[in-house]
């Protein structure tokens, strides 16, 4: 096996109404690796993640996933290839129960066609128990089993983040993009999050790209850190090296931290 | 030919703009397309008609009174309906505004009937500008409307209310943090945009005639102008209004023969008069498909 | 009296089919289709014209539903990326455009005079005196079929994708759902159902004019879905029943109070508007709110 990275971003650039949000940004993520994407507010982290997940089309640059060029593909296509994400402000189907959310995530496109819905109802009915079982397993993992038939809208912010990770996991992607998983989450839950991410990597061999302001989170899980500043690459390296990089300290760590 | 098209576009555009200003502000602040805005115009026009025909008040005083009453209706609709839905999603407000629009139109038609009315039967003085003609009333419509827009500009830029409005449309949370009284400002906004719509309604009725469907016919055009100008951008809405008016008038004046010549159609091809109303709808659909984000920067264009 | 009951049951059935279609589109998928009446008109004119030119009525009705579905797809494809508010505005404009066309293209639609002598389904086989009963039964069968279809659609993986369109499109996309294609399919299914309702209407009244396709038809269906309960199919049947009866009961006010036809028509309209506002304010989830699916 050649050690080519599972995600390879090169020369990513995008601008909004003339304002350059990303300029020639490049980074890579190896299979099984956890990489942190950090930088001050407005440095382009979420924009980069939106490009990776297909929600934004970059003006220039190439995004390769598992060796294939996925630049400009739709979010659904990217997700179906095995590159999935969560959102900074958690997105869920609020008026669907936790189980329904998980079934929605898990069900296969074949079962969603109009034809299958009208003429092939038996097929999904046979598959459903298996999916339900998986959904319940994952709810167990994120410790939300007791709420399985509640609407997702009633969950607390932290619980919503947990569910969103379960929703991603049930589709068994290769790479998971997390956008500020610890923001607004109770410190106890952050500890649990860190343990969970490490466990998912160990048990399932998933790779992660994580945007996070919480430096404790970053140094506890990340193998490597990529630092962006004003839409450009500033530095990259292992967390302990980045921690002491004077350029990073100046733009990022030097500024007061609340996290 | 071109002169007449331009002249008609200025007249029509200034009518549309008096509504588009309000629609764009409501959209940027309350996150919904207000279908009832056309009925604020309708009511304004009929209030004016009431003052003119029943109380025999001078048309211009009547128009001002109509505008004030139109503003009062808009304000009451906020008190009775929209303010109770502040935490609801935009879709719900939109549906509520649709209900209000149906209701108000039915009330107007029930009181004044479905047939058309005019403010006066007098023959118009007509001016010629080159090849083009314009009536005395139309000149006044343009003057009134431009004055109103200038006043709005002053309001937006040189009053505390205007500053509050802009701050809220930029960032509601920040505006609240800076101590702006959101609810009071929203009430003022309803009154002001309601009276502008009502004045617009009177101007439209002066140019054409009063009839209960005028609100429905103008509102879709107003939406088109608002979207073209970038949602939440007041200047964009004004520019959008004149552009839409121009597109409407130009498409009616153009000889479309060149499109049909390849199919062996001979002679001139104009849009038939039966399709005159449809032109606005067609323009709207085309604008939506080609410029879904508008041509100018909107505040939070959907 | 029985005649009247049968008349209203057909009318309710026609609106119930359209309410089911709108509930799929709005109640489940969150799509603001303000142009429903366009598909109603297309279904009515298509079926009327086909049957007038000799196509058997039942086949004409089926083709009419297909034509409405195709128009639905043609409208949906270029507009699907628009936000819900814009979509509401575009669909209402398209419906108005179609009405203007039906008024103007006399060679096709008979213009404002409309189309008359539209044949009725299986008229030769059913005795004249029991025909109203037959037609009511025929309508009931179609309503039942549409209800079962809608129910199959919403209680399925497809139905869950519909709901995610309503809840959060980006979220659906992030789970790998091709949201635009689901909107398209929902638009097509709904358009076919409304087209069928239009066909039924044409063969029921045997005479159609552009006045039957004013925007108010769309708003009545909206009132029915909102009042009945969005996201609840039984609610749509209930809503259609209540609204149709309410809307038509005002006709009888005229028996007691001296009112002109215009005034009565406007009282009816005002009632629909008022009902929409009151429901939104007082019972936003309708009489029969959406039920939670429990596993």
């Amino acid at each position: 096996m050649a050690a080519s990275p599972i995600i390879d971003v090169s020369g990513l650039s995008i601008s909004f109404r003339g304002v350059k949000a990303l300029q020639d940004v490049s980074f890579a993520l190896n299979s099984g690796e956890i990489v942190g994407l950090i930088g001050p507010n407005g440095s382009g982290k979420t924009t980069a993640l939106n490009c990776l997940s297909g929600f934004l089309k970059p003006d220039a640059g190439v995004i390769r996933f598992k060796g294939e060029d996925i630049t400009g593909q739709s979010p659904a296509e990217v997700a179906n290839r095995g590159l999935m994400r969560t959102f900074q402000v958690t997105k869920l189907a609020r008026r669907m129960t936790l189980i329904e959310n998980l079934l929605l995530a898990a069900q296969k496109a074949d079962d969603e066609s109009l034809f299958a819905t009208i003429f092939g109802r038996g097929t999904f009915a046979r598959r459903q128990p298996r999916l339900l079982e998986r959904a319940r397993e994952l709810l167990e993992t994120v410790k939300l089993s007791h709420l399985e038939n509640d609407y997702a809208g009633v969950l607390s912010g932290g619980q919503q983040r947990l569910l969103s990770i379960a929703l991603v996991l049930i589709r068994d992607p290769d790479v998971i993009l997390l956008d500020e998983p610890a923001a607004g989450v109770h410190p106890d839950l952050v500890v649990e999050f860190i343990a969970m991410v490490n466990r998912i990597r160990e048990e399932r061999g998933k790779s992660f790209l994580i945007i996070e302001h919480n430096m404790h989170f970053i140094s506890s899980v990340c193998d490597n850190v990529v630092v962006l500043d004003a839409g450009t690459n500033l530095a990259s390296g292992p967390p302990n090296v980045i921690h002491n990089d004077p350029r990073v300290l100046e733009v990022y760590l030097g500024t007061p931290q609340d996290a | 030919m071109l002169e007449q098209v331009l002249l008609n576009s200025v007249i029509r555009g200034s009518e549309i703009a008096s509504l588009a200003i309000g629609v764009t502000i409501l959209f940027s602040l309350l996150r919904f397309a207000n279908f009832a805005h056309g009925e604020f115009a309708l009511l304004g026009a009929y209030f004016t008609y009431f003052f003119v025909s029943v109380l025999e008040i001078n048309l211009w005083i009547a128009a001002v009174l109509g505008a004030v009453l139109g503003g009062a209706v808009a304000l009451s609709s906020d008190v009775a309906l929209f303010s109770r839905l502040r935490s609801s999603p935009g879709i719900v407000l939109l549906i509520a505004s649709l209900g209000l629009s149906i209701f108000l139109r039915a009330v107007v038609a029930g009181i004044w009937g479905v047939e058309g009315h005019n403010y006066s039967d007098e023959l118009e003085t007509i001016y010629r500008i080159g090849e083009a003609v314009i009536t005395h009333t139309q000149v006044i419509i343009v003057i009134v409307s431009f004055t109103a827009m200038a006043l709005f500009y002053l309001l937006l830029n040189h009053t505390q209310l205007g500053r509050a409005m802009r701050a809220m449309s930029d960032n509601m949370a920040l505006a609240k943090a800076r101590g702006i009284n959101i609810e009071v400002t929203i009430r003022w906004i309803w009154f002001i945009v309601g009276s502008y719509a009502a004045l617009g309604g009177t101007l439209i009725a002066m140019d054409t005639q009063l009839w209960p469907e005028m609100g429905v016919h103008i509102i879709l055009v107003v939406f088109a102008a608002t979207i073209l100008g970038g949602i939440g951008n007041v200047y964009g809405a004004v520019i959008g209004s004149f552009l839409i008016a121009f597109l409407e008038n130009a498409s009616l004046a153009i000889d479309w023969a060149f499109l049909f010549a390849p199919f062996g159609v001979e002679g001139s091809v104009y849009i038939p008069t039966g399709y005159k109303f449809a032109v606005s709808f067609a323009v709207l659909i085309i604008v939506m498909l080609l410029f879904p984000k508008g041509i100018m920067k909107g505040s939070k264009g959907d | 009296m029985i005649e009247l009951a049968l008349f209203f049951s057909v009318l309710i059935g026609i609106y119930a089919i359209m309410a089911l279609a709108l509930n799929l589109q709005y109640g489940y998928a969150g799509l603001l289709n303000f142009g429903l009446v366009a598909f109603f008109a297309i279904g009515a004119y298509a079926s009327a014209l086909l049957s007038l030119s000799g196509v058997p009525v039942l086949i004409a009705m089926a083709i009419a539903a297909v034509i409405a579905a195709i128009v639905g797809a043609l409208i949906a494809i270029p507009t699907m990326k628009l936000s819900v508010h814009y979509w509401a505005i575009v669909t209402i404009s398209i419906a108005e455009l179609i009405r203007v066309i039906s008024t103007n293209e006399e060679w096709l639609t008979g213009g404002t005079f409309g189309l008359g002598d539209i044949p009725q389904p299986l008229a030769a086989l059913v005795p004249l005196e029991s025909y109203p009963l037959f037609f009511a039964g025929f309508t009931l069968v179609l309503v039942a079929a549409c209800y079962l279809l809608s129910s199959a659609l919403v209680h399925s993986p497809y139905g869950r994708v519909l709901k995610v369109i309503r809840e959060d499109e980006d979220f659906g996309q992030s789970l790998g759902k091709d949201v635009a294609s689901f909107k398209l399919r929902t638009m097509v299914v709904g358009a076919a159902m409304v087209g069928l309702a239009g066909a039924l209407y044409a063969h029921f009244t045997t005479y159609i004019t552009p006045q039957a396709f004013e925007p108010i038809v769309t708003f009545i269906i909206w009132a029915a879905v909102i009042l009945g309960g969005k996201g609840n199919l039984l609610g749509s049947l209930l809503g259609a029943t209540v609204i149709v009866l309410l809307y038509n009961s005002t006709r009888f006010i005229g028996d007691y109070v001296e009112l002109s036809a215009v005034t009565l028509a406007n009282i009816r309209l005002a009632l629909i508007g008022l009902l929409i506002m009151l429901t939104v304010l007082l019972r936003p989830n309708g009489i029969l709110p959406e039920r939670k699916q429990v596993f």
Side-chain angles (χ1 to χ4, degrees):
Chain A
M1 278 274 286
S4 68
I6 192 159
I7 287 184
D8 188 0
V9 177
S10 61
L12 205 59
S13 302
I14 188 170
S15 50
F16 303 109
R17 305 224 186 221
V19 180
K20 287 180 177 140
L22 290 176
Q23 279 182 79
D24 201 18
V25 167
S26 304
F27 58 86
L29 174 72
N30 289 312
S31 187
E33 199 180 23
I34 301 185
V35 168
L37 189 58
I38 66 169
N41 284 329
S43 59
K45 305 180 299 282
T46 296
T47 306
L49 197 143
N50 283 339
C51 289
L52 276 173
S53 55
F55 282 89
L56 287 173
K57 290 200 192 346
D59 301 333
V62 178
I63 301 162
R64 286 183 183 282
F65 176 59
K66 293 194 279 191
E68 283 176 75
D69 186 352
I70 58 158
T71 324
Q73 291 192 346
S74 80
E77 275 175 283
V78 173
N80 288 329
R81 282 175 179 271
L83 175 56
M84 294 189 68
R85 69 171 296 180
T86 65
F87 295 85
Q88 197 173 333
V89 178
T90 308
K91 289 185 186 292
L92 293 165
R94 309 180 71 82
R95 272 179 304 164
M96 285 167 78
T97 64
L98 272 59
I99 284 280
E100 266 191 294
N101 268 280
L102 283 159
L103 284 179
L104 168 76
Q107 67 199 19
K108 296 277 178 295
D110 297 346
D111 292 323
E112 292 167 349
S113 78
L114 271 181
F115 186 84
T117 304
I118 299 167
F119 301 106
R121 294 182 75 74
T123 325
F124 182 74
R126 277 196 298 283
R127 266 197 271 257
Q128 178 137 311
R130 175 80 195 88
L131 290 183
L132 268 173
E133 196 185 315
R134 252 190 75 55
R136 295 205 164 105
E137 254 172 53
L138 276 161
L139 281 179
E140 192 80 38
T141 313
V142 296
K143 301 195 170 74
L144 292 172
S145 295
H146 56 297
L147 299 169
E148 68 169 43
N149 279 319
D150 284 6
Y151 280 136
V154 305
L155 298 181
S156 72
Q159 288 173 325
Q160 290 191 5
R161 286 191 193 278
L162 285 168
L163 179 60
S164 71
I165 296 204
L167 286 167
V168 167
L169 284 178
I170 203 168
R171 286 185 72 93
D172 202 27
D174 302 302
V175 177
I176 299 168
L177 313 173
L178 300 177
D179 196 350
E180 298 200 23
V185 173
H186 189 273
D188 294 348
L189 207 54
V190 172
V191 174
E192 209 162 297
F193 249 97
I194 291 170
M196 203 167 73
V197 169
N198 279 321
R199 200 171 61 238
I200 294 166
R201 185 216 337 226
E202 271 162 39
E203 288 173 7
R204 304 174 192 241
K206 306 290 179 210
S207 324
F208 286 88
L209 181 70
I210 302 175
I211 295 179
E212 189 48 75
H213 280 295
N214 184 328
M215 289 318 285
H216 172 61
F217 196 118
I218 291 288
S219 39
S220 307
V221 300
C222 294
D223 306 307
N224 265 308
V225 177
V226 175
V227 188
L228 297 184
D229 179 42
T232 56
N233 279 96
L234 184 74
S236 67
N240 54 345
V241 176
I242 289 297
H243 251 293
N244 302 315
D245 189 313
R247 292 169 301 171
V248 178
L249 289 173
E250 187 188 333
V251 304
Y252 190 70
L253 302 174
T255 56
Q257 285 292 299
D258 55 354
Chain B
M1 191 61 188
L2 181 65
E3 291 162 11
Q4 188 70 59
V5 167
L6 287 175
L7 209 51
N8 288 349
S9 306
V10 170
I11 300 161
R12 173 86 167 149
S14 52
E15 293 165 3
I16 299 170
S18 52
L19 275 80
I21 290 172
V23 165
T24 208
I25 288 177
L26 290 178
F27 205 133
S28 73
L29 290 183
L30 303 176
R31 316 298 309 144
F32 79 108
N34 180 23
F35 273 84
H37 221 76
E39 273 60 43
F40 296 157
L42 176 70
L43 277 169
Y46 274 91
F47 285 140
T48 305
Y49 178 70
F50 171 77
F51 291 125
V52 170
S53 66
V54 178
L55 306 181
E56 295 182 359
I57 294 174
N58 168 290
L59 178 59
W60 293 108
I61 299 170
V64 172
L65 291 175
V68 172
L69 277 185
V73 170
L75 178 62
S76 334
S77 76
D78 184 54
V79 174
L81 183 64
F82 296 113
S83 70
R84 293 162 203 266
L85 301 169
R86 288 272 194 272
S87 56
S88 305
I91 290 179
V92 173
L93 284 138
L94 186 150
I95 293 168
S97 81
L98 185 76
L100 180 64
S101 143
I102 299 167
F103 177 75
L104 292 178
R105 191 180 338 137
V107 168
V108 167
I111 297 173
W112 282 285
V114 287
E115 66 278 7
H117 295 283
N118 285 303
Y119 291 127
S120 104
D121 304 325
E122 283 169 40
L123 276 178
E124 284 267 20
T125 320
I126 288 175
Y127 307 109
R128 288 187 183 279
I129 305 173
E131 299 272 294
V133 291
I134 185 168
T135 66
H136 180 69
T137 309
Q138 287 173 330
V139 172
I140 294 174
I141 287 171
V142 173
I143 293 171
V144 169
S145 165
F146 275 76
T147 312
M149 280 186 262
L151 282 175
F152 199 86
Y153 176 84
L154 293 177
L155 172 85
L156 209 55
N157 290 290
H158 298 283
T159 67
Q160 205 166 357
L161 181 66
R163 277 189 288 274
M165 272 162 74
R166 282 185 296 143
M168 281 162 61
S169 129
D170 283 347
N171 187 333
M172 192 65 93
L174 193 65
K176 199 177 265 175
R178 277 169 42 191
I180 290 170
N181 190 332
I182 305 279
E183 277 305 307
V184 170
T185 314
I186 289 179
R187 290 278 151 88
W188 270 108
I189 289 169
W190 275 103
F191 178 77
I192 292 164
V193 302
S195 40
Y196 266 73
L199 179 67
T202 302
L203 297 180
I204 295 166
M206 284 166 67
D207 192 17
T208 54
Q209 62 167 356
L210 289 136
W211 61 305
E213 300 287 312
M214 63 183 267
V216 196
H217 280 282
I218 192 77
I219 190 65
L220 292 174
V221 187
V222 170
F223 283 150
T226 309
I227 290 160
L228 194 61
I231 290 291
N233 184 331
V234 175
Y235 310 113
V238 173
I239 292 168
S241 301
F242 287 103
L243 265 175
I244 291 283
F246 177 74
L247 288 175
E248 267 184 26
N249 283 295
S251 58
L252 285 172
I254 287 174
D255 181 352
W256 296 94
F258 65 92
L259 273 184
F260 294 91
F263 304 104
V265 176
E266 286 173 17
S268 303
V269 180
Y270 290 100
I271 293 173
T273 43
Y275 279 98
K276 210 177 155 220
F277 284 129
V279 168
S280 349
F281 305 139
V283 166
L284 177 138
I285 294 162
I286 292 164
V287 163
M288 292 265 206
L289 295 182
L290 296 184
F291 307 101
K293 294 208 158 78
I295 49 167
M296 292 183 68
K297 193 176 184 301
S299 67
K300 289 167 267 188
D302 257 29
Chain C
M1 195 58 210
I2 288 176
E3 291 270 303
L4 198 68
L6 290 175
F7 173 84
F8 276 118
S9 55
V10 173
L11 210 55
I12 288 169
I14 290 168
Y15 275 92
I17 292 173
M18 293 197 278
L20 286 170
L22 178 63
N23 207 344
L24 281 181
Q25 295 181 339
Y26 168 67
Y28 289 90
L31 298 173
L32 296 190
N33 186 350
F34 279 177
L36 283 164
V37 68
F39 306 103
F40 186 58
I42 288 165
Y45 276 107
S47 199
L49 288 166
L50 284 168
S51 59
L52 281 171
S53 66
V55 178
V57 175
L58 294 181
I59 295 171
M61 289 178 70
I63 299 175
V66 171
I67 292 175
I70 292 169
V71 176
L74 291 178
I75 292 174
I77 290 167
T79 57
M80 269 308 154
K81 298 255 151 132
L82 297 175
S83 77
V84 281
H85 293 255
Y86 286 16
W87 209 63
I89 298 167
V90 165
T91 49
I92 204 171
S93 309
I94 292 172
E96 282 294 86
L97 204 54
I98 287 176
R99 187 163 63 95
V100 176
I101 292 170
S102 73
T103 316
N104 279 278
E105 299 307 314
E106 289 182 14
W107 59 275
L108 184 67
T109 62
T112 45
F113 297 109
L115 295 171
D117 295 326
I118 301 167
Q120 296 204 292
L122 307 176
L125 301 176
V126 182
L128 195 60
E129 62 274 15
S130 52
Y131 197 81
L133 185 64
F134 163 77
F135 205 101
F138 179 60
T139 307
L140 187 66
V141 169
L142 291 182
V143 173
C146 288
Y147 179 82
L148 291 175
L149 174 71
S150 309
S151 172
L153 291 181
V154 300
H155 297 108
S156 73
Y158 175 85
R160 278 193 282 275
V161 184
L162 285 196
K163 284 204 245 175
V164 83
I165 298 174
R166 169 188 82 186
E167 297 296 312
D168 194 325
E169 278 187 36
D170 283 349
F171 171 58
Q173 293 253 26
S174 78
L175 294 180
K177 313 297 172 190
D178 182 0
V179 170
S181 100
F182 282 91
K183 285 189 189 172
L184 174 64
R185 285 178 240 176
T186 309
M187 185 67 178
V188 167
V189 173
M193 283 166 65
V194 178
L196 183 70
L200 195 60
Y201 175 80
H203 298 292
F204 176 54
T205 58
T206 70
Y207 174 62
I208 52 172
T209 66
Q211 277 112 327
F213 308 107
E214 303 258 350
I216 188 63
V217 175
T218 301
F219 304 144
I220 290 174
I221 304 163
W222 268 92
V225 171
I226 295 170
L227 182 73
K230 56 180 197 289
N232 187 319
L233 296 174
L234 280 175
S236 294
L237 302 185
L238 178 70
T241 310
V242 172
I243 298 282
V244 169
L245 291 179
L246 194 69
Y247 190 73
N248 288 285
S249 68
T250 48
R251 288 178 199 278
F252 303 110
I253 299 176
D255 297 347
Y256 304 100
V257 196
E258 197 66 33
L259 288 172
S260 73
V262 171
T263 314
L264 271 178
N266 283 304
I267 289 175
R268 283 204 293 277
L269 290 183
L271 210 61
I272 294 290
L274 204 58
L275 204 65
I276 291 177
M277 287 188 283
L278 288 177
T279 311
V280 166
L281 280 179
L282 305 176
R283 215 177 158 85
N285 294 317
I287 304 173
L288 298 174
E290 180 171 346
R291 280 213 307 257
K292 200 194 269 184
Q293 262 196 326
V294 174
F295 289 92

